[in-house]
Amino acid sequence: MKFSLSREAILKPLQLVVGVVERRQTLPILSNVLLCLDGQRLSMTGTDLEVEIVGVTDTSEPGEDGDVTVSARKLVDICRSLPDGAKLDFSSSDGKAMIKSGRSKFTLATLPANEFPSVDEGDKAVDFMVSGSIIKGLIESTSFAMAQQDVRYYLNGMLWELKDNNLRAVATDGHRMALSDSTCDVSVAETMTSILPRKGIIELSRLLDEADVRVAMGSNHIRVTGADYCFTSKLVDGAYPDYDRVLPKGGDKVVVGERSELKQAFGRAAILSNEKYRGVRIMLSEGAIRMVANNPEQEEAEEEVSVDYSGDDLEIGFNVSYLLDVLNVINGDQVRITLSNSNSSALVEDAEDGSAVYVVMPMRL
């Protein structure tokens, strides 16, 4: 195998791929990246057996077709360390790979390409085109609510629900929930649901930009193909909770306030909240919302913000971090908070745009 190309041409797809390659591997080949040359088309593949990313670039001139695997981290570090505009000459034979650039020369160990595992695409139930910015927007507005290491493994991921001309993303860790809808040009006979693993969501978000992508969803896998990459992920096998039951209904206390003002006030109150539980007490009264936070050192923070509210007084506790996470992803200037009593969840949404809703459970303080 032999090819030549510029440092920038190989570095961009390589950086897309290397994120999925784990540093510590039980199988040595999983810390490698698979390089395949077909004509002038060079593809690079990284996988952890759950998620696979293929990056594609073109070489500057025809080389010798072939395939080989080399250490992903070492190859990236070599490419990064070379000067801008440098040209790389890559060749491999007899279990070694040689990289030459100017006066620099590197020899890397290789492993056979036929030992490199591929993530099986599986069956394809639905296939549609959508703007990458739409999916990226859904991920950014909901991914903070995914669980991290919950024993309920299906919560360590994100639910995608596909209906006619609609894609919905839902994430929850049992304490808060984020739900976001977006329109897309797709027709399905019945609602399709898929749970994408946390790592897959994080890697996919890095890949997406404004360009259109092709999404293929099956019963076990999802594949997203862009102009210069192909992302494949296994789906989490499990039943996602019925999120519709979690959405609070019939709340009669509606508060509308300035998002930035509330965010700053909650941020200041959080400074003196209990570091472990992050609780803040909220007192709602006509035209105002008061926040009180204290900690075991007997320190206290108190904030008051003017809001549009004309209902009964209410006192309720929340984890201030959860509220701040929501206020950070809402883009509008005004935020609407709907409550019913001190024991029920709060429904938070952009006052002008109802495409995303957030549920935060209360705390006993």
Side-chain angles (χ1 to χ4, degrees), residues 5-179:
L5 78 175
S6 69
R7 166 188 180 268
E8 286 70 28
I10 192 171
L11 193 53
K12 188 187 173 199
L14 203 50
Q15 285 176 322
L16 296 181
V17 166
V18 77
V20 82
V21 179
E22 299 281 1
R23 286 183 183 275
R24 293 196 184 95
Q25 289 291 0
T26 48
L27 291 170
I29 201 158
L30 289 180
S31 59
N32 281 14
V33 61
L34 171 66
L35 303 175
C36 295
L37 184 67
D38 184 3
Q40 284 184 242
R41 191 173 174 80
L42 176 68
S43 66
M44 300 163 221
T45 308
T47 183
D48 66 352
L49 298 180
E50 294 286 322
V51 179
E52 176 188 273
I53 298 175
V54 182
V56 179
T57 189
D58 289 321
T59 59
S60 50
E61 57 207 48
E64 289 178 16
D65 289 4
D67 44 24
V68 71
T69 79
V70 296
S71 165
R73 301 280 169 194
K74 288 171 186 170
L75 185 57
V76 167
D77 289 345
I78 288 168
C79 294
R80 278 188 186 140
S81 66
L82 292 170
D84 291 348
K87 185 186 174 192
L88 270 84
D89 295 312
F90 183 100
S91 61
S92 71
S93 61
D94 303 328
K96 297 284 181 191
M98 184 89 71
I99 301 169
K100 292 180 183 174
S101 179
R103 296 183 182 179
S104 306
K105 185 172 156 187
F106 306 90
T107 306
L108 294 173
T110 67
L111 288 169
N114 59 6
E115 292 179 13
F116 194 81
S118 68
V119 174
D120 177 33
E121 187 184 354
D123 60 321
K124 190 165 66 178
V126 66
D127 187 318
F128 60 97
M129 294 292 290
V130 64
S131 166
S133 57
I134 285 178
I135 297 180
K136 194 175 178 75
L138 286 174
I139 290 173
E140 286 175 349
S141 58
T142 55
S143 58
F144 69 89
M146 289 189 294
Q148 298 224 24
Q149 288 177 317
D150 202 294
V151 289
R152 297 164 293 180
Y153 57 91
Y154 46 82
L155 296 186
N156 304 321
M158 182 182 290
L159 176 73
W160 280 15
E161 191 175 85
L162 194 64
K163 297 180 182 174
D164 271 351
N165 301 320
N166 182 268
L167 178 60
R168 170 176 285 179
V170 185
T172 180
D173 61 4
H175 302 288
R176 62 308 195 25
M177 184 179 81
L179 181 154

Side-chain angles (χ1 to χ4, degrees), residues 172-228:
T172 180
D173 61 4
H175 302 288
R176 62 308 195 25
M177 184 179 81
L179 181 154
S180 185
D181 282 305
S182 197
T183 53
C184 60
D185 187 14
V186 62
S187 173
V188 288
E190 56 184 37
T191 302
M192 268 196 76
T193 57
S194 302
I195 305 173
L196 278 71
R198 181 185 182 84
K199 183 173 180 180
I201 287 291
I202 291 165
E203 290 302 322
L204 181 57
S205 182
R206 282 196 317 119
L207 298 172
L208 293 164
D209 53 25
E210 302 289 321
D212 284 0
V213 294
R214 177 173 292 283
V215 180
M217 290 169 72
S219 56
N220 302 314
H221 292 78
I222 183 165
R223 175 163 283 184
V224 180
T225 310
D228 55 0

